[in-house]
mmCIF file of all heavy atoms in Angstrom:
data_model
loop_
_atom_site.group_PDB
_atom_site.id
_atom_site.type_symbol
_atom_site.label_atom_id
_atom_site.label_comp_id
_atom_site.label_asym_id
_atom_site.label_seq_id
_atom_site.Cartn_x
_atom_site.Cartn_y
_atom_site.Cartn_z
ATOM 1 N N GLU A 184 14.916 61.967 22.995
ATOM 2 C CA GLU A 184 15.514 61.742 21.669
ATOM 3 C C GLU A 184 14.546 62.178 20.563
ATOM 4 O O GLU A 184 13.326 62.098 20.702
ATOM 5 C CB GLU A 184 15.940 60.265 21.489
ATOM 6 C CG GLU A 184 14.855 59.321 21.062
ATOM 7 C CD GLU A 184 15.349 57.881 20.849
ATOM 8 O OE1 GLU A 184 16.514 57.574 21.110
ATOM 9 O OE2 GLU A 184 14.509 57.070 20.435
ATOM 10 N N GLU A 185 15.137 62.667 19.469
ATOM 11 C CA GLU A 185 14.365 63.223 18.357
ATOM 12 C C GLU A 185 14.805 62.553 17.079
ATOM 13 O O GLU A 185 16.012 62.411 16.846
ATOM 14 C CB GLU A 185 14.692 64.707 18.248
ATOM 15 C CG GLU A 185 13.506 65.625 18.347
ATOM 16 C CD GLU A 185 13.960 67.069 18.187
ATOM 17 O OE1 GLU A 185 14.385 67.668 19.200
ATOM 18 O OE2 GLU A 185 13.906 67.548 17.061
ATOM 19 N N GLU A 186 13.859 62.181 16.245
ATOM 20 C CA GLU A 186 14.233 61.600 14.940
ATOM 21 C C GLU A 186 14.405 62.726 13.929
ATOM 22 O O GLU A 186 13.416 63.363 13.567
ATOM 23 C CB GLU A 186 13.140 60.649 14.466
ATOM 24 C CG GLU A 186 13.302 59.232 14.957
ATOM 25 C CD GLU A 186 12.321 58.264 14.310
ATOM 26 O OE1 GLU A 186 11.275 58.697 13.811
ATOM 27 O OE2 GLU A 186 12.634 57.065 14.291
ATOM 28 N N ILE A 187 15.601 62.917 13.456
ATOM 29 C CA ILE A 187 15.868 63.971 12.470
ATOM 30 C C ILE A 187 15.357 63.503 11.104
ATOM 31 O O ILE A 187 14.847 64.279 10.309
ATOM 32 C CB ILE A 187 17.388 64.288 12.385
ATOM 33 C CG1 ILE A 187 17.947 64.594 13.783
ATOM 34 C CG2 ILE A 187 17.665 65.425 11.403
ATOM 35 C CD1 ILE A 187 17.302 65.736 14.513
ATOM 36 N N ILE A 188 15.508 62.212 10.841
ATOM 37 C CA ILE A 188 14.942 61.616 9.613
ATOM 38 C C ILE A 188 13.910 60.587 10.061
ATOM 39 O O ILE A 188 14.223 59.731 10.916
ATOM 40 C CB ILE A 188 16.033 60.945 8.753
ATOM 41 C CG1 ILE A 188 17.046 61.997 8.263
ATOM 42 C CG2 ILE A 188 15.416 60.186 7.580
ATOM 43 C CD1 ILE A 188 18.209 61.453 7.463
ATOM 44 N N ASP A 189 12.694 60.665 9.514
ATOM 45 C CA ASP A 189 11.614 59.757 9.914
ATOM 46 C C ASP A 189 12.063 58.297 9.828
ATOM 47 O O ASP A 189 12.631 57.880 8.814
ATOM 48 C CB ASP A 189 10.409 59.933 8.960
ATOM 49 C CG ASP A 189 9.411 60.928 9.536
ATOM 50 O OD1 ASP A 189 9.656 61.427 10.646
ATOM 51 O OD2 ASP A 189 8.403 61.181 8.854
ATOM 52 N N GLY A 190 11.772 57.534 10.853
ATOM 53 C CA GLY A 190 12.063 56.101 10.822
ATOM 54 C C GLY A 190 13.485 55.748 11.212
ATOM 55 O O GLY A 190 13.840 54.559 11.266
ATOM 56 N N ALA A 191 14.296 56.754 11.534
ATOM 57 C CA ALA A 191 15.704 56.482 11.831
ATOM 58 C C ALA A 191 15.873 55.529 13.019
ATOM 59 O O ALA A 191 16.799 54.706 13.043
ATOM 60 C CB ALA A 191 16.443 57.797 12.125
ATOM 61 N N ARG A 192 14.950 55.592 13.974
ATOM 62 C CA ARG A 192 15.066 54.715 15.135
ATOM 63 C C ARG A 192 14.357 53.387 14.955
ATOM 64 O O ARG A 192 14.344 52.564 15.847
ATOM 65 C CB ARG A 192 14.545 55.448 16.388
ATOM 66 C CG ARG A 192 15.439 56.565 16.880
ATOM 67 C CD ARG A 192 16.732 56.025 17.546
ATOM 68 N NE ARG A 192 16.457 55.365 18.797
ATOM 69 C CZ ARG A 192 16.683 54.075 19.042
ATOM 70 N NH1 ARG A 192 17.187 53.292 18.114
ATOM 71 N NH2 ARG A 192 16.411 53.575 20.214
ATOM 72 N N GLY A 193 13.779 53.180 13.771
ATOM 73 C CA GLY A 193 13.169 51.870 13.501
ATOM 74 C C GLY A 193 11.730 51.781 14.001
ATOM 75 O O GLY A 193 11.174 52.750 14.523
ATOM 76 N N GLY A 194 11.145 50.614 13.826
ATOM 77 C CA GLY A 194 9.758 50.378 14.251
ATOM 78 C C GLY A 194 9.698 50.191 15.767
ATOM 79 O O GLY A 194 10.608 49.599 16.346
ATOM 80 N N TYR A 195 8.637 50.701 16.370
ATOM 81 C CA TYR A 195 8.511 50.657 17.841
ATOM 82 C C TYR A 195 7.625 49.463 18.228
ATOM 83 O O TYR A 195 6.523 49.308 17.733
ATOM 84 C CB TYR A 195 7.844 51.970 18.289
ATOM 85 C CG TYR A 195 7.760 52.136 19.793
ATOM 86 C CD1 TYR A 195 8.828 52.589 20.528
ATOM 87 C CD2 TYR A 195 6.562 51.832 20.455
ATOM 88 C CE1 TYR A 195 8.733 52.774 21.899
ATOM 89 C CE2 TYR A 195 6.475 51.985 21.824
ATOM 90 C CZ TYR A 195 7.554 52.455 22.548
ATOM 91 O OH TYR A 195 7.448 52.616 23.895
ATOM 92 N N TYR A 196 8.127 48.630 19.139
ATOM 93 C CA TYR A 196 7.334 47.494 19.617
ATOM 94 C C TYR A 196 7.491 47.396 21.122
ATOM 95 O O TYR A 196 8.571 47.028 21.614
ATOM 96 C CB TYR A 196 7.813 46.210 18.915
ATOM 97 C CG TYR A 196 7.029 44.963 19.335
ATOM 98 C CD1 TYR A 196 5.885 44.572 18.650
ATOM 99 C CD2 TYR A 196 7.448 44.214 20.444
ATOM 100 C CE1 TYR A 196 5.159 43.458 19.043
ATOM 101 C CE2 TYR A 196 6.721 43.080 20.835
ATOM 102 C CZ TYR A 196 5.575 42.722 20.136
ATOM 103 O OH TYR A 196 4.867 41.620 20.535
ATOM 104 N N HIS A 197 6.448 47.737 21.851
ATOM 105 C CA HIS A 197 6.441 47.619 23.325
ATOM 106 C C HIS A 197 7.721 48.121 23.981
ATOM 107 O O HIS A 197 8.311 47.417 24.805
ATOM 108 C CB HIS A 197 6.166 46.180 23.758
ATOM 109 C CG HIS A 197 4.764 45.732 23.422
ATOM 110 N ND1 HIS A 197 3.679 45.919 24.249
ATOM 111 C CD2 HIS A 197 4.271 45.123 22.316
ATOM 112 C CE1 HIS A 197 2.584 45.455 23.701
ATOM 113 N NE2 HIS A 197 2.901 44.971 22.501
ATOM 114 N N GLY A 198 8.196 49.305 23.568
ATOM 115 C CA GLY A 198 9.334 49.906 24.242
ATOM 116 C C GLY A 198 10.690 49.646 23.598
ATOM 117 O O GLY A 198 11.689 50.227 24.017
ATOM 118 N N PHE A 199 10.756 48.759 22.614
ATOM 119 C CA PHE A 199 12.039 48.548 21.921
ATOM 120 C C PHE A 199 11.866 48.628 20.395
ATOM 121 O O PHE A 199 10.745 48.801 19.913
ATOM 122 C CB PHE A 199 12.747 47.276 22.394
ATOM 123 C CG PHE A 199 12.013 45.977 22.156
ATOM 124 C CD1 PHE A 199 12.383 45.144 21.098
ATOM 125 C CD2 PHE A 199 10.969 45.570 22.977
ATOM 126 C CE1 PHE A 199 11.707 43.933 20.884
ATOM 127 C CE2 PHE A 199 10.311 44.365 22.772
ATOM 128 C CZ PHE A 199 10.690 43.547 21.730
ATOM 129 N N ARG A 200 12.969 48.542 19.692
ATOM 130 C CA ARG A 200 12.963 48.903 18.265
ATOM 131 C C ARG A 200 13.342 47.730 17.359
ATOM 132 O O ARG A 200 14.167 46.893 17.708
ATOM 133 C CB ARG A 200 13.979 50.025 18.007
ATOM 134 C CG ARG A 200 13.709 51.280 18.818
ATOM 135 C CD ARG A 200 12.578 52.087 18.207
ATOM 136 N NE ARG A 200 12.270 53.257 19.008
ATOM 137 C CZ ARG A 200 11.426 54.196 18.609
ATOM 138 N NH1 ARG A 200 10.817 54.116 17.444
ATOM 139 N NH2 ARG A 200 11.181 55.230 19.358
ATOM 140 N N ILE A 201 12.731 47.734 16.172
ATOM 141 C CA ILE A 201 13.044 46.737 15.153
ATOM 142 C C ILE A 201 13.466 47.481 13.890
ATOM 143 O O ILE A 201 12.769 48.403 13.448
ATOM 144 C CB ILE A 201 11.826 45.848 14.829
ATOM 145 C CG1 ILE A 201 11.248 45.210 16.108
ATOM 146 C CG2 ILE A 201 12.200 44.779 13.806
ATOM 147 C CD1 ILE A 201 9.995 44.387 15.900
ATOM 148 N N HIS A 202 14.616 47.114 13.317
ATOM 149 C CA HIS A 202 15.146 47.759 12.120
ATOM 150 C C HIS A 202 15.175 46.760 10.975
ATOM 151 O O HIS A 202 15.619 45.631 11.152
ATOM 152 C CB HIS A 202 16.577 48.270 12.367
ATOM 153 C CG HIS A 202 16.706 49.078 13.623
ATOM 154 N ND1 HIS A 202 16.613 50.451 13.636
ATOM 155 C CD2 HIS A 202 16.872 48.713 14.923
ATOM 156 C CE1 HIS A 202 16.737 50.903 14.875
ATOM 157 N NE2 HIS A 202 16.890 49.864 15.671
ATOM 158 N N SER A 203 14.711 47.183 9.797
ATOM 159 C CA SER A 203 14.698 46.300 8.618
ATOM 160 C C SER A 203 15.636 46.834 7.554
ATOM 161 O O SER A 203 15.487 47.964 7.112
ATOM 162 C CB SER A 203 13.288 46.223 8.042
ATOM 163 O OG SER A 203 12.400 45.666 8.990
ATOM 164 N N VAL A 204 16.588 46.004 7.142
ATOM 165 C CA VAL A 204 17.537 46.343 6.071
ATOM 166 C C VAL A 204 17.150 45.521 4.841
ATOM 167 O O VAL A 204 16.848 44.332 4.962
ATOM 168 C CB VAL A 204 18.972 45.985 6.509
ATOM 169 C CG1 VAL A 204 19.971 46.281 5.387
ATOM 170 C CG2 VAL A 204 19.360 46.736 7.786
#
Side-chain angles (χ1 to χ4, degrees):
E184 83 178 4
E185 236 181 276
E186 273 189 337
I187 308 301
I188 297 177
D189 266 359
R192 288 288 291 117
Y195 185 83
Y196 181 90
H197 293 273
F199 61 102
R200 301 283 177 172
I201 306 177
H202 310 266
S203 298
V204 178

